[in-house]
Amino acid sequence: MTIYFTSDTHLGHAEIIRLCKRPFANVREMDEAIIARWNETVAPGDIVYHLGDFCFHNEASAESYLKRLNGKIHFIRGNHDKHTLRDHGELFASVSDIKEIEIGHRRIVLCHYPMREWHGAWKGAWHLFGHVHGRLDHQPLGFSLDVGVDSHDFRPWSVTEIEAALKDRHNPFSPAMAPANLLPGEGGHSLE
């Protein structure tokens, strides 16, 4: 079993092709490419954390898409998921607004929206997000990463791929990087 992360598939959303300059001629081509890449990557027994904006303005139902996708999908609510969750929320393994998980000894904070700081950032926790469609890729912040399909060849990313992407980043929140007045002892205090 492998664990994957993705966001902002926007299945069925024709306007997202223009808005995000996605390389597809139409919504059908986009949907089929995203579903094919998902299923080439994710096996039926794998786990996927989808960080919001699953489908939007679609003619097909969320259920019709979910039936075609491999894996057990845990869902983090995005800003375009009201109807998906109202009509088909029970089809996801879980639904959250924000979620913290641990894989091995690594804490991971999952949210649709990017955060400037997150629980555990000072201790090396990751923050995975979507919503921005790659607009923050050129401004990485510590161990945070946009896992949206626009940043990752329209497919989910595994923990191993994320670890490789983050391995050379420094943690601006680590105690070594903190001003002396924020460190424990000597009259300072920790923000964690």
Side-chain angles (χ1 to χ4, degrees), residues 20-66:
C20 292
K21 298 179 176 70
R22 289 186 174 182
F24 305 109
N26 55 54
V27 75
R28 181 178 167 85
E29 181 182 317
M30 177 184 73
D31 287 355
E32 292 305 316
I34 289 172
I35 291 167
R37 290 177 190 181
W38 178 302
N39 288 336
E40 289 165 5
T41 303
V42 177
D46 291 338
I47 293 174
V48 179
Y49 288 92
H50 191 297
L51 277 56
D53 291 0
F54 179 71
C55 61
F56 189 61
H57 288 306
N58 48 308
E59 291 179 17
S61 71
E63 180 179 17
S64 67
Y65 292 121
L66 286 166

Side-chain angles (χ1 to χ4, degrees), residues 114-162:
M115 293 184 261
R116 296 291 296 164
E117 188 173 344
W118 50 93
H119 187 222
W122 284 63
K123 297 175 183 172
W126 294 351
H127 166 46
L128 306 180
F129 60 89
H131 186 64
V132 295
H133 297 272
R135 291 190 311 267
L136 297 179
D137 289 351
H138 65 286
Q139 295 177 319
L141 176 63
F143 300 133
S144 68
L145 184 70
D146 179 357
V147 294
V149 296
D150 296 290
S151 294
H152 302 290
D153 197 30
F154 301 97
R155 66 176 183 81
W157 255 34
S158 70
V159 172
T160 305
E161 291 171 302
I162 293 167

Side-chain angles (χ1 to χ4, degrees), residues 67-79:
K67 284 181 177 179
R68 296 182 60 197
L69 295 171
N70 288 340
K72 181 178 180 179
I73 304 171
H74 294 271
F75 197 72
I76 311 300
R77 185 185 329 262
N79 57 305

